[in-house]
Amino acid sequence: MMMQRRLLLVIAAAGLALAGCATSPTHEQHPPIVFVHGNGDTAALWQTTVWRFESNGWPRERLHAIDLPYPLARDDDGKAQPGRTSTADHMAFLKSEVDKVLQATGARQVVLVGNSRGGNAIRNYIYNGGGAARVSHAVLGGTPNHGVWATKGFREANEFSGTGPFLTGLNAPKNAAGDEVTGPVKWLTLRSDNNDKFAQPDGLWIGAKGTPTNVTFDGPALKGATNVVLPRVDHRETSYSPAAFEATYRFITGKNPQTLAIQPEAPIVLNGKIAGLGLTPTDPASGNYSNNLPLPGAQLMVYATDPATGARIGNAVHTKTVGTDGLWGPFTAQAGVSYEFAIQATGYATTHIYRSPFPRSSKFVNFRADRLAEADKAAKSSVTLNRPRGYFDAQRDRMMFDGKAALPGVPPEGAGVSASKLNLTQEGMRPIAAEFNGEKITGQTWPVSGNHVVVLELTY
């Protein structure tokens, strides 16, 4: 176990220690918070976290989530790679976003909250990009601060190498005590006890089962920070779960949140961005790189659906051809109503995304148009159950997909898979349902022969 200056805490016992870490702001002085997503992800993953801050009185205009245009890290941080960003690129983008937020709010400092790779950018910005004077608190959820692997001579040019120059530079002692972080910024790390796929002693989740990673469960902890353990959460839940919100809120304010529940509001106004895959949507050689670039010309149609069958109820309630900003809204949703979001774009399959009802407004309802994978083209219908804000854990979660508790592609133990795909062999359209820990979504199957793909996307 890594030596730490402050006591390592489990979440059940964190209250008193965290309450002393920061002073509580008045209602008028809620600091702006900038949320930084992880590798390959989007600002949309912070949706429920933002809702919880809003439900506790945080002004909406002081909650900002960034969208890194190319969110995937390079294989070699020092070498240009199409569709990828370096640590320097990531830091520069974060710096520009922080500057925008400070200018818009008139605040002197921001709070930075990052998941996984987002924490790398936060640390780099604070120590190497001039961010120390602009940041009051830094919260790192599941950030692989000591690497996903730490093996001499193995992929050390990658930013996730614990023995590589990027992380060893960030982890260099900051004082005589050997702390890896120092003030004036206040630091919090959030980690899982043993269920983070990127903080494992075995290389299973990096394709090297049986090979030691030389990284332990406490790899995300930092000497000199307040380090909190959240039992059984997975890699993404170190940031996006109710427990992560509770610890973050307490660290920033010095007090417990009034509620962990997401409070409903009316009217419910939704907006977000439609992005695609690859470098250009019509170039098959560009690969399926995740990106957060707008997809101009994409058409979105929104339909209210029957929650029991997934069938459309009447005509589209909202349609838009997106422009250069990629925004598909605003759209005023009805409370308690489930929706289908159908996306059409050149070079993509018609993508049918089904969502459960929205409780609150959000500008982070981002979508990606999808393509049919070669392996799916023989199916009659291809349906993916997607959990963006966490992973599926067969030992922990109550799950059902098309009437079966065993989800395709989800292992019997461990939390490392966030999507499960069913390729159906039956002709025709029919309802298809999924349930995850009480959240239920029902959609419709659509024919692969017509270049359709279906996504049941969980919110929680």
Side-chain angles (χ1 to χ4, degrees):
M1 296 288 288
M2 186 179 65
M3 294 296 293
Q4 301 164 354
R5 184 178 65 186
R6 301 185 183 180
L7 181 64
L8 188 66
L9 305 169
V10 296
I11 188 62
L16 291 176
L18 288 181
C21 292
T23 57
S24 176
T26 67
H27 178 74
E28 293 78 19
Q29 295 174 331
H30 288 95
I33 304 176
V34 178
F35 299 97
V36 189
H37 61 72
N39 197 41
D41 292 332
T42 88
L45 272 67
W46 295 105
Q47 182 180 83
T48 54
T49 302
V50 168
W51 281 342
R52 290 188 172 95
F53 272 100
E54 291 175 355
S55 296
N56 283 274
W58 220 277
R60 179 168 289 159
E61 64 274 13
R62 287 186 163 238
L63 299 166
H64 179 78
I66 75 170
D67 247 339
L68 184 64
Y70 291 108
L72 286 168
R74 292 177 178 177
D75 292 331
D76 182 324
D77 191 47
K79 295 182 180 180
Q81 186 176 4
R84 307 290 185 109
T85 45
S86 67
T87 54
D89 296 333
H90 201 178
M91 180 181 72
F93 185 78
L94 174 58
K95 181 181 185 301
S96 70
E97 293 294 291
V98 169
D99 288 346
K100 290 176 187 176
V101 170
L102 291 175
Q103 183 175 10
T105 62
R108 186 177 64 86
Q109 291 182 311
V110 300
V111 173
L112 293 182
V113 180
N115 175 251
S116 192
R117 188 191 183 205
N120 284 353
I122 289 171
R123 296 182 70 198
N124 201 17
Y125 169 56
I126 290 172
Y127 284 115
N128 300 315
R134 295 178 173 90
V135 179
S136 63
H137 299 71
V139 179
L140 315 178
T143 296
N145 290 312
H146 295 91
V148 176
W149 60 88
T151 305
K152 283 288 187 182
F154 176 72
R155 298 187 64 193
E156 289 186 293
N158 188 283
E159 74 173 88
F160 299 119
S161 168
T163 55
F166 176 69
L167 286 181
T168 55
L170 288 182
N171 294 335
K174 305 297 188 291
N175 53 30
D179 289 341
E180 295 167 310
V181 297
T182 59
V185 179
K186 299 178 177 68
W187 294 87
L188 170 68
T189 75
L190 301 173
R191 74 166 177 88
S192 177
D193 51 357
N194 60 11
N195 203 29
D196 185 333
K197 66 183 291 186
F198 296 125
Q200 295 289 323
D202 183 85
L204 170 65
W205 294 112
I206 59 172
K209 183 178 180 180
T211 301
T213 63
N214 301 312
V215 173
T216 59
F217 299 136
D218 67 350
L222 286 168
K223 186 176 182 181
T226 298
N227 298 295
V228 173
V229 179
L230 307 177
R232 287 303 295 167
V233 299
D234 62 47
H235 179 66
R236 287 179 177 168
E237 289 172 338
T238 58
S239 292
Y240 308 122
S241 64
F245 163 74
E246 182 179 27
T248 300
Y249 185 94
R250 191 184 300 116
F251 182 73
I252 298 169
T253 67
K255 60 184 179 182
N256 293 324
Q258 292 182 341
T259 180
L260 298 184
I262 295 168
Q263 301 300 311
E265 69 170 351
I268 301 169
V269 180
L270 305 177
N271 204 345
K273 183 167 57 181
I274 296 179
L277 296 166
L279 305 180
T280 59
T282 56
D283 178 11
S286 67
N288 279 349
Y289 295 116
S290 298
N291 69 53
N292 293 319
L293 299 174
L295 190 59
Q299 294 179 308
L300 178 76
M301 292 159 284
V302 183
Y303 298 88
T305 61
D306 184 323
T309 66
R312 295 172 176 175
I313 301 174
N315 297 324
V317 293
H318 177 74
T319 61
K320 186 171 181 178
T321 300
V322 304
T324 56
D325 60 6
L327 296 179
W328 61 263
F331 162 61
T332 301
Q334 300 300 308
V337 175
S338 301
Y339 289 100
E340 173 199 344
F341 299 83
I343 302 168
Q344 294 180 329
T346 303
Y348 292 86
T350 299
T351 306
H352 304 265
I353 302 171
Y354 294 87
R355 294 287 296 266
S356 56
F358 289 82
R360 295 183 63 86
S361 298
S362 177
K363 62 181 179 181
F364 303 118
V365 187
N366 292 351
F367 300 117
R368 281 179 179 150
D370 206 352
R371 300 188 181 112
L372 270 169
E374 196 63 37
D376 302 334
K377 292 181 178 178
K380 301 303 180 184
S381 184
S382 184
V383 183
T384 298
L385 173 61
N386 187 27
R387 186 180 178 226
R389 294 163 193 88
Y391 294 86
F392 298 118
D393 187 334
Q395 295 177 306
R396 177 193 66 185
D397 301 318
R398 292 179 292 105
M399 304 178 291
M400 194 74 67
F401 188 14
D402 202 29
K404 297 181 176 61
L407 273 58
V410 176
E413 60 182 52
V417 176
S418 64
S420 174
K421 182 182 290 185
L422 273 175
N423 282 337
L424 304 174
T425 58
Q426 303 88 1
E427 297 275 6
M429 293 179 63
R430 66 168 176 86
I432 186 163
E435 181 175 350
F436 178 83
N437 291 343
E439 182 182 359
K440 299 178 181 179
I441 307 175
T442 303
Q444 289 271 309
T445 62
W446 287 81
V448 163
S449 60
N451 199 26
H452 296 267
V453 296
V454 178
V455 178
L456 309 182
E457 183 173 311
L458 293 159
T459 297
Y460 303 103

